[in-house]
Amino acid sequence: MNNPANNSPSTSYAFDDDFNPLLDSMQSLKVDKSNKIFAVLDTDILEYILTFLTGLDLCRFKGVCTASLRVVDEYTRRVFTVDRIFSPFFTAEQTILLRQIQFDTNFLVSGSAAVQFFERTNYSGSDLTLYIAEEEDTNSLFQFIESCGYTFKNSSSQPTSLKKALETKDNWVPLSSTYRQYESDYDPPWFMATFSFEQQHPSGPPLNVHVTVSTGWADAPIFNFTSTVVMNIITSMNAISLFPFSSFHLYETLVTTPDLEESEREVELQKYSARGWTILRRKKIWYMDGCDSPEEYSAYMRHIGDEYCWIIPLSSTRGGDSYDYMLHGKYWVYSEQRSKTGDRVAHMQLAATCHE
């Protein structure tokens, strides 16, 4: 395993065991317990410094001395919480109920909400998008959202009734991210559709919550995203970033989808360009000699929860089994395809493997 103190772009984005149960990257760093410089600094000053550090730098800072270790632990417990992601849309009591529904239905939080989680920030006017498999109890999720004061806002291609919109699948979008090499050739392709809900805010713009339903796995639409910075998943138990080193340390995002219209793709890319990310149109990402990309790109096949992921355990609203199915049996592979404009674009496909 590479030393996390190495600044080389090829360094694996390894976190210590408080961040990632798979790794303990701090073992190679010496903690000087006699260092008292941080012990005499005001805690507020230290925490202000932490707001400017990336996740990887937080781990490095944590290993300086026992005082910095304590401050980082307290800081991360407070800022890495899903309550901060849900609070603009739901009350504290509603958030508890929503997390219980997440535990029961295995829906995921992704998109800009998950980026905000790992970035420890809030984007003004940003929406909340939840991802759920059609085979789960989607009705309980929809009923809960409507009980919180949200109303269904149909798209131009959807019926005005939520029930009819769920039943009408003519406008569902095929999921090209699925690479179901272990499935039968007779299996139907997977599709997804997004259902939007809106609530008027008394002192600001309307609040919008979107639910993307997939006929396959809940995480399949995530591999259809425009670029890698938004490929993050929040389950009921863990927050998982698939490309943390490039996304939250180098602040680079690789364009990945060949399917979107150019105008639609550019709108999404420019949004993250304005937020500080460098857009990579094409990069050597495969397992080839001379590849200068971060290792999280250069591996031919990866799986959710591997050593390149950043995993943050979340506090649970209920006890019981701590098994997170998302960390088991999901692999994806890289390929290269032509976009609709003829560009060569990196493409990621989720391999159909069974959960352990």
Side-chain angles (χ1 to χ4, degrees):
M1 181 173 59
N2 293 324
N3 188 333
N6 184 350
N7 290 321
S8 168
S10 64
T11 301
S12 170
Y13 201 40
F15 285 86
D16 69 315
D17 55 353
D18 283 340
F19 286 90
N20 191 336
L22 302 178
L23 298 172
D24 185 2
S25 65
M26 298 308 296
Q27 289 180 347
S28 59
L29 299 181
K30 294 181 179 179
V31 177
D32 182 5
K33 294 182 173 58
S34 64
N35 192 333
K36 303 297 182 182
I37 185 171
F38 294 107
V40 299
L41 287 178
D42 184 80
T43 301
D44 292 338
I45 295 176
L46 280 174
E47 292 207 353
Y48 179 72
I49 294 173
L50 299 184
T51 62
F52 295 94
L53 302 184
T54 68
L56 181 57
D57 288 335
L58 280 174
C59 288
R60 293 168 176 166
F61 186 87
K62 181 177 178 178
V64 172
C65 65
T66 53
S68 64
L69 184 148
R70 183 183 67 254
V71 171
V72 171
D73 280 347
E74 293 174 354
Y75 171 78
T76 54
R77 276 194 295 268
R78 188 174 68 256
V79 299
F80 288 120
T81 169
V82 291
D83 294 347
R84 181 171 55 81
I85 300 302
F86 290 140
S87 61
F89 306 92
F90 302 100
T91 66
E93 293 76 13
Q94 291 170 346
T95 295
I96 293 175
L97 294 175
L98 181 60
R99 293 199 64 194
Q100 291 175 346
I101 294 174
Q102 183 179 24
F103 188 93
D104 293 333
T105 64
N106 296 312
F107 77 73
L108 308 173
V109 180
S110 191
S112 61
V115 173
Q116 293 171 79
F117 177 91
F118 285 101
E119 267 292 273
R120 295 160 281 154
T121 191
N122 291 100
Y123 300 137
S124 177
S126 182
D127 299 344
L128 174 67
T129 306
L130 313 177
Y131 297 81
I132 187 170
E134 186 184 34
E135 65 182 10
E136 300 286 357
D137 184 9
T138 56
N139 286 332
S140 65
L141 179 58
F142 289 133
Q143 290 171 5
F144 170 80
I145 293 174
E146 291 182 319
S147 73
C148 294
Y150 287 86
T151 57
F152 174 61
K153 186 178 180 181
N154 65 301
S155 67
S156 59
S157 59
Q158 290 176 324
T160 55
S161 164
L162 175 60
K163 181 180 179 180
K164 291 184 178 179
L166 288 168
E167 294 172 349
T168 306
K169 295 189 176 181
D170 295 340
N171 61 340
W172 285 44
V173 179
L175 278 167
S176 64
S177 64
T178 53
Y179 179 63
R180 303 194 295 159
Q181 58 183 343
Y182 305 115
E183 301 278 349
S184 167
D185 293 336
Y186 297 100
D187 285 345
W190 289 349
F191 292 84
M192 69 175 183
T194 298
F195 304 89
S196 299
F197 299 83
E198 183 180 86
Q199 181 185 107
Q200 296 301 318
H201 194 278
S203 59
L207 301 175
N208 293 285
V209 175
H210 311 286
V211 179
T212 295
V213 181
S214 169
T215 58
W217 296 327
D219 55 342
I222 294 167
F223 289 83
N224 268 34
F225 283 169
T226 307
S227 67
T228 52
V229 66
V230 282
M231 292 184 178
N232 312 288
I233 301 168
I234 299 178
T235 73
S236 61
M237 298 180 184
N238 296 288
I240 310 163
S241 177
L242 304 186
F243 299 93
F245 185 76
S246 57
S247 297
F248 302 113
H249 192 71
L250 299 180
Y251 286 88
E252 297 176 343
T253 180
L254 178 67
V255 179
T256 56
T257 177
D259 296 328
L260 292 178
E261 296 292 343
E262 183 178 12
S263 58
E264 183 181 356
R265 184 176 64 191
E266 289 306 310
V267 168
E268 188 70 17
L269 292 175
Q270 291 309 312
K271 179 171 66 176
Y272 282 96
S273 176
R275 291 170 177 172
W277 274 267
T278 299
I279 309 299
L280 304 178
R281 300 286 173 171
R282 189 184 178 204
K283 196 174 183 69
K284 291 181 179 180
I285 62 174
W286 295 278
Y287 56 106
M288 57 180 61
D289 293 338
C291 178
D292 60 354
S293 302
E295 292 180 20
E296 60 189 14
Y297 286 142
S298 59
Y300 168 70
M301 177 176 284
R302 288 189 51 198
H303 65 87
I304 298 176
D306 63 16
E307 67 268 28
Y308 305 113
C309 291
W310 179 9
I311 305 174
I312 301 178
L314 303 174
S315 59
S316 177
T317 58
R318 55 196 292 180
D321 189 5
S322 59
Y323 181 88
D324 190 344
Y325 84 99
M326 187 55 62
L327 298 178
H328 302 271
K330 289 293 186 70
Y331 290 81
W332 74 89
V333 296
Y334 295 107
S335 64
E336 186 177 65
Q337 295 186 9
R338 293 280 183 180
S339 70
K340 292 184 176 181
T341 57
D343 300 325
R344 293 165 67 90
V345 178
H347 188 49
M348 296 170 195
Q349 293 181 303
L350 192 60
T353 58
C354 298
H355 289 304
E356 295 177 356

